[in-house]
């Protein structure tokens, strides 16, 4: 009863007489508990249960509120960066795709759907089926259309992709209007049913010559995938260079610099805090980097005048210097614009028969409301130059020019901007040098 007087209800119901009673025992140290003791303890036990259940309910509700807030923030983040996961697409389709909007989907696909074929159906989850069901309902309701699925119920026990075995039986019961046992009723031909091979004049079976098509130079499926980094004009990579001591550190150092720069919106608001830099650096613990020295070097890079200008709002006061046309500058300056910074911006666009994909280090948009009027594209390079040689830097600019050109074309598509409204620049962060790039 000491625990009850202290309102320590978990201890009260787990130890002593109360613990024995809660466990359904009627003895304590081999002595029988009388009805008077049981009756005396029951009110306390009921109260303890009510308090503990209330605590569990409150904890569950609090956990759900936290998860809801996290989920909303996570969804906003994915929408802002246009980076949904595969399961997000499935959930959106499951919520919004119904038979009522089927005609609109068909219009967007620019083709009618007459036949639906699904393989490995036993691995279909309930959410996936919710997205597919409107298509199945439509095609099975029309003459001449078909819904064909293949699945092995026995394989559903593995639960791949959240598959539910009962879906197979459900589909057979709801959508099978033909022959449920067609595979058993089909009679495969025996060797006696096969036609005889035609014979030539000598009585021997005629040999058929089969000419196979020459293989493609490179096997592809769908459109070709191209990354702007593949367009960089660089000499062949030697394995010895990759394996030399320090090569992995150089690559990790470049990745760390980009990760730190991603946390800078404007240097006008101050440089990144020490704690944040250390937390980000922990992700690169697999490579032996001197974090103290790297942080000091990063601070030195941010001290370069051109670097501070390009990462600050004040660097956008002279639009002509950025490379915009006179018309573009006039339109932007006469509008009430706001600057919006996008860091590590992923993109996917189509160019002719290829899909171009990549990540832009830093993109500053000139916005009026939801409309984008112009953009400044900044690509950060961590090249190490032996000396601050202008000719060597010029060569690096030419080398990266095709890559920046592909970035430039991607931005024109994504934001429907004229080419003269996109400034394209390189920041060589190791030496604090900023160069404008003329797109090809």
């Amino acid at each position: 009863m000491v625990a009850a007087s202290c309102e320590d209800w978990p201890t009260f119901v787990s130890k002593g007489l109360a613990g024995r009673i809660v466990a359904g025992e009627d003895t304590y140290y081999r002595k029988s508990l009388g009805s008077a003791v049981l009756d005396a303890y029951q009110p306390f036990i009921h109260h303890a249960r009510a308090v503990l259940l209330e605590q569990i309910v409150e904890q569950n509700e609090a956990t759900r509120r936290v998860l809801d807030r996290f989920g909303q923030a996570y969804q906003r983040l994915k929408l802002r960066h246009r980076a949904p996961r595969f399961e997000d697409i499935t959930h959106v389709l499951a919520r919004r795709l119904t038979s009522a909007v089927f005609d609109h989907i068909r219009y967007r696909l620019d083709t009618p759907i007459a036949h639906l074929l699904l393989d490995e159906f036993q691995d279909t989850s309930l959410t996936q089926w919710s997205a597919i069901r409107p298509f199945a309902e439509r095609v099975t309701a029309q003459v001449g259309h078909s819904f064909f699925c293949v699945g092995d119920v026995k394989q559903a026990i593995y639960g791949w992709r959240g598959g539910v075995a009962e879906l197979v039986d459900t589909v057979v019961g709801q959508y099978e209007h033909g022959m449920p046992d067609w595979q058993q009723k089909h009679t495969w031909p025996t060797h006696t049913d096969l036609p005889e091979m035609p014979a030539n004049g000598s009585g021997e079976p005629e040999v058929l010559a089969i000419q196979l098509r020459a293989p493609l130079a490179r096997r592809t499926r769908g459109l070709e995938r191209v990354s702007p980094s593949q367009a960089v004009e660089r000499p062949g990579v030697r394995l010895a260079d990759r394996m030399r001591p320090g090569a992995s550190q150089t690559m990790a150092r470049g990745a760390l610099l980009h990760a730190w720069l991603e946390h800078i919106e404007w240097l006008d608001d101050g440089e990144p805090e020490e704690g944040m830099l250390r937390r980000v650096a922990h992700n690169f613990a697999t490579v032996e980097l001197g974090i103290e020295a790297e942080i000091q070097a990063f601070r030195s890079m941010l001290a370069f005048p051109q670097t501070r200008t390009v990462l600050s709002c004040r660097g956008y006061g002279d639009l002509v210097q950025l490379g915009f046309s006179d018309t573009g500058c006039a339109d932007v300056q006469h509008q009430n614009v706001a600057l919006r910074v996008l860091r590590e911006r992923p993109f996917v666009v189509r160019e002719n028969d290829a899909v171009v994909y990549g990540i832009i280090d830093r993109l500053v948009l000139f916005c009026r409301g939801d409309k984008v009027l112009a953009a400044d594209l900044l690509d950060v390079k961590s090249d190490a130059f032996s000396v601050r040689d202008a000719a060597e830097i010029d060569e690096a600019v030419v080398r990266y020019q095709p890559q920046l050109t592909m970035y430039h074309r991607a931005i024109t598509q994504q934001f429907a901007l004229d080419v003269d409204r996109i400034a394209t620049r390189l920041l060589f962060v190791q030496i604090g040098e900023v160069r404008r790039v003329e797109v090809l």
Side-chain angles (χ1 to χ4, degrees):
M1 297 298 291
V2 176
S5 63
C6 298
E7 297 186 355
D8 184 3
W9 302 116
T11 302
F12 174 74
V13 299
S14 61
K15 297 182 178 179
L17 281 173
R20 301 289 293 180
I21 296 173
V22 171
E25 303 290 340
D26 57 0
T27 60
Y28 187 67
Y29 285 104
R30 299 183 181 180
K31 293 184 179 180
S32 177
L33 298 176
S35 59
V37 175
L38 296 175
D39 293 340
Y41 268 84
Q42 285 302 329
F44 292 96
I45 293 174
H46 290 318
H47 178 73
R49 283 175 173 167
V51 171
L52 295 176
L53 286 174
E54 183 178 7
Q55 291 178 356
I56 294 174
V57 170
E58 291 177 351
Q59 290 173 355
N60 287 340
E61 291 178 348
T63 301
R64 178 174 180 176
R65 288 194 296 270
V66 171
L67 292 176
D68 284 342
R69 294 181 63 181
F70 172 81
Q72 294 171 8
Y74 186 40
Q75 290 298 328
R76 290 195 299 269
L77 185 64
K78 288 188 289 187
L79 289 174
R80 185 182 309 131
H81 292 277
R82 298 184 180 180
R85 297 173 61 87
F86 285 112
E87 60 266 25
D88 294 330
I89 305 300
T90 303
H91 284 289
V92 170
L93 289 174
R95 290 196 305 266
R96 301 182 181 180
L97 188 58
T98 62
S99 297
V101 299
F102 191 88
D103 291 332
H104 178 68
I105 297 297
R106 184 179 64 180
Y107 171 76
R108 295 297 301 271
L109 293 175
D110 196 26
T111 182
I113 299 176
H115 305 282
L116 184 63
L117 293 84
L118 301 176
D119 194 10
E120 303 292 352
F121 189 75
Q122 76 279 349
D123 297 332
T124 304
S125 67
L126 291 175
T127 305
Q128 292 171 334
W129 176 240
S130 298
I132 298 173
R133 182 168 54 189
F135 294 93
E137 292 175 348
R138 179 59 65 95
V139 298
T140 55
Q142 302 183 52
V143 178
H145 293 190
S146 65
F147 173 32
F148 183 84
C149 63
V150 178
D152 185 355
V153 179
K154 295 179 181 179
Q155 294 186 27
I157 61 174
Y158 301 108
W160 304 123
R161 301 198 309 267
V164 180
E166 289 77 7
L167 276 178
V168 178
D169 297 331
T170 301
V171 170
V172 171
Q174 292 185 356
Y175 300 100
E176 181 60 78
H177 305 305
M179 299 168 56
D181 300 326
W182 66 270
Q183 72 279 15
Q184 298 177 8
K185 296 181 180 180
H186 184 81
T187 302
W188 296 100
T190 64
H191 69 281
T192 57
D193 300 323
L194 296 176
E196 295 184 359
M197 293 291 294
N200 53 25
S202 62
E204 296 294 331
E206 183 178 356
V207 178
L208 301 178
I210 300 177
Q211 180 66 39
L212 299 179
R213 189 181 67 175
L216 298 175
R218 184 168 68 90
R219 298 185 63 183
T220 60
R221 189 169 82 175
L223 299 176
E224 183 181 4
R225 295 174 60 85
V226 178
S227 173
S229 60
Q230 299 172 357
V232 177
E233 297 180 357
R234 55 166 62 93
V237 178
R238 296 174 63 248
L239 182 59
D241 295 335
R242 289 293 186 183
M243 299 297 293
R244 75 179 188 277
S248 59
Q249 288 189 352
T250 302
M251 297 177 64
R253 182 174 293 111
L256 179 58
L257 286 175
H258 280 78
W260 278 342
L261 289 170
E262 185 181 356
H263 287 77
I264 297 177
E265 183 174 16
W266 299 113
L267 282 180
D268 308 77
D269 302 328
E271 295 186 7
E273 297 179 356
E274 196 88 2
M276 185 278 293
L277 295 178
R278 294 182 184 279
R279 287 193 299 271
V280 174
H282 283 314
N283 296 329
F284 299 83
T286 55
V287 177
E288 293 296 332
L289 290 176
I291 302 303
E292 298 296 334
E294 296 297 334
I295 292 178
Q296 184 177 357
F298 181 66
R299 298 289 191 196
S300 300
M301 295 176 197
L302 295 182
F304 287 120
Q306 291 192 37
T307 301
R308 298 198 70 83
T309 299
V310 80
L311 297 179
S312 302
C313 287
R314 59 184 174 84
Y316 291 88
D318 188 356
L319 300 183
V320 176
Q321 185 179 1
L322 294 179
F324 295 130
S325 65
D326 294 339
T327 304
C329 292
D331 290 343
V332 173
Q333 289 174 339
H334 287 81
Q335 310 257 6
N336 184 20
V337 300
L339 297 179
R340 179 185 173 193
V341 183
L342 303 178
R343 290 152 289 178
E344 296 296 316
R345 166 79 175 191
F347 70 89
V348 178
V349 296
R350 177 171 176 174
E351 285 192 3
N352 300 323
D353 293 330
V355 174
V356 181
Y357 67 98
I359 297 178
I360 297 175
D361 295 334
R362 186 177 176 90
L363 186 66
V364 178
L365 303 178
F366 296 76
C367 302
R368 184 188 61 188
D370 295 333
K371 182 176 178 58
V372 177
L373 304 176
D376 176 41
L377 192 163
L378 183 68
D379 194 52
V380 180
K381 300 299 182 184
S382 57
D383 300 47
F385 297 95
S386 55
V387 293
R388 198 182 185 91
D389 186 355
E392 189 178 356
I393 298 173
D394 291 340
E395 291 178 1
V397 173
V398 173
R399 185 167 65 250
Y400 290 117
Q401 191 176 22
Q403 179 183 8
L404 272 293
T405 299
M406 297 183 73
Y407 286 153
H408 187 278
R409 291 202 299 262
I411 297 304
T412 60
Q413 290 192 45
Q414 284 198 323
F415 298 100
L417 293 174
D418 294 333
V419 294
D420 60 349
R421 294 192 177 225
I422 302 176
T424 308
R425 298 188 289 173
L426 276 170
L427 168 61
F428 296 102
V429 68
Q430 294 275 12
I431 59 175
E433 182 81 14
V434 178
R435 291 292 186 91
R436 285 171 51 184
V437 178
E438 298 295 334
V439 297
L440 300 175

